[in-house]
Amino acid sequence: MKLPETSFERSSSALLGLVSRRQRWGLTLKGWVFLFATALLFVIAGVFSVHPFLAITAPEATKTLVVEGWISEVGIKYAAEQMLSNSYDHAFITGGPISGFGGYTSDFNTYAQYGFSRLLEKGVPRDRLTRVPCRVTERDRTYSSAVVLRHHFQINNLRPAAINILTDAVHARRSRLLFESALGRDIKIGVIAVPPSEYKATRWWRYSAGVKDVFSEALAYTYARIYF
């Protein structure tokens, strides 16, 4: 027995059956308002959560610190305080060629040397610091610096069970991901995000520096997550 068609199943055709008209469901004004409000809530939630997501702080219990040499002066000051308070026994400073100088010329023209010099100026003893310069300039600089650090550990027969990476704000999650990829599972990777000095982290969208940092780092992290 064939059931009768409902009003939403009826259709009509024209032009010898070449075209047809069918009834369909569509959003009402109330439906569009609900959809827009839901989307707006997701956007607001993203605005408030993206910075703490990227600027993660999750340290491991270790006496080995890794400092990305390009970080802000606030970060260098924090690293020096940690070293001078004996929170860490040794710090490795990583980084490639300094931007704007035409690429790699020598190990002294790297962010590893730059960070090393600034920590010395803060009073950290030389014998508790090790420069680990990288020569890569074009792309994947953080990952390349992590690979050089891995080689340094291997060559010098160093086997830290865990390290903490000190880096600037929203770069933290990507740094941890790339160091994990480079160093493997034998070393636990912790990370410490230095709060931004140019804007308030809780109101990053009100500052041009905050918008630039968050959007560029969100794209870079997405790329790193997919690529690595």
Side-chain angles (χ1 to χ4, degrees), residues 105-201:
T105 55
S106 71
D107 288 349
F108 289 95
N109 186 33
T110 62
Y111 285 111
Q113 174 64 38
Y114 179 53
F116 175 80
S117 300
R118 288 189 292 163
L119 286 172
L120 287 180
E121 292 174 356
K122 300 292 183 184
V124 181
R126 182 181 294 265
D127 61 356
R128 297 179 62 191
L129 302 173
T130 299
R131 292 161 290 186
V132 189
C134 176
R135 299 182 180 184
V136 174
T137 59
E138 292 83 5
R139 53 177 293 182
D140 301 330
R141 289 172 293 182
T142 300
Y143 178 75
S144 298
S145 294
V147 169
V148 173
L149 181 64
R150 182 189 68 197
H151 290 164
H152 178 84
F153 286 163
Q154 293 171 344
I155 292 172
N156 293 277
N157 198 29
L158 300 173
R159 297 185 178 88
I163 62 173
N164 281 334
I165 305 165
L166 183 68
T167 189
D168 273 354
V170 291
H171 199 269
R173 186 170 289 273
R174 181 159 63 103
S175 289
R176 186 178 67 172
L177 171 66
L178 297 178
F179 273 82
E180 286 175 342
S181 298
L183 297 180
R185 298 181 179 180
D186 293 335
I187 302 177
K188 294 181 179 180
I189 310 296
V191 65
I192 301 169
V194 178
S197 57
E198 297 182 351
Y199 59 91
K200 292 182 179 180

Side-chain angles (χ1 to χ4, degrees), residues 82-98:
Q82 293 297 300
M83 294 300 296
L84 294 174
S85 66
N86 293 319
S87 296
Y88 296 93
D89 294 333
H90 203 86
F92 297 88
I93 302 91
T94 64
I98 296 176

Side-chain angles (χ1 to χ4, degrees), residues 31-98:
W32 281 110
V33 171
F34 176 79
L35 185 63
F36 175 78
T38 302
L40 183 61
L41 287 175
F42 274 105
V43 170
I44 293 173
V47 167
F48 280 98
S49 62
V50 64
H51 195 284
F53 173 78
L54 295 172
I56 182 175
T57 292
E60 293 285 344
T62 178
K63 287 290 188 176
T64 303
L65 183 66
V66 175
V67 180
E68 296 198 274
W70 54 266
I71 63 175
S72 65
E73 194 63 24
V74 174
I76 291 295
K77 181 180 178 181
Y78 178 83
E81 291 173 351
Q82 293 297 300
M83 294 300 296
L84 294 174
S85 66
N86 293 319
S87 296
Y88 296 93
D89 294 333
H90 203 86
F92 297 88
I93 302 91
T94 64
I98 296 176

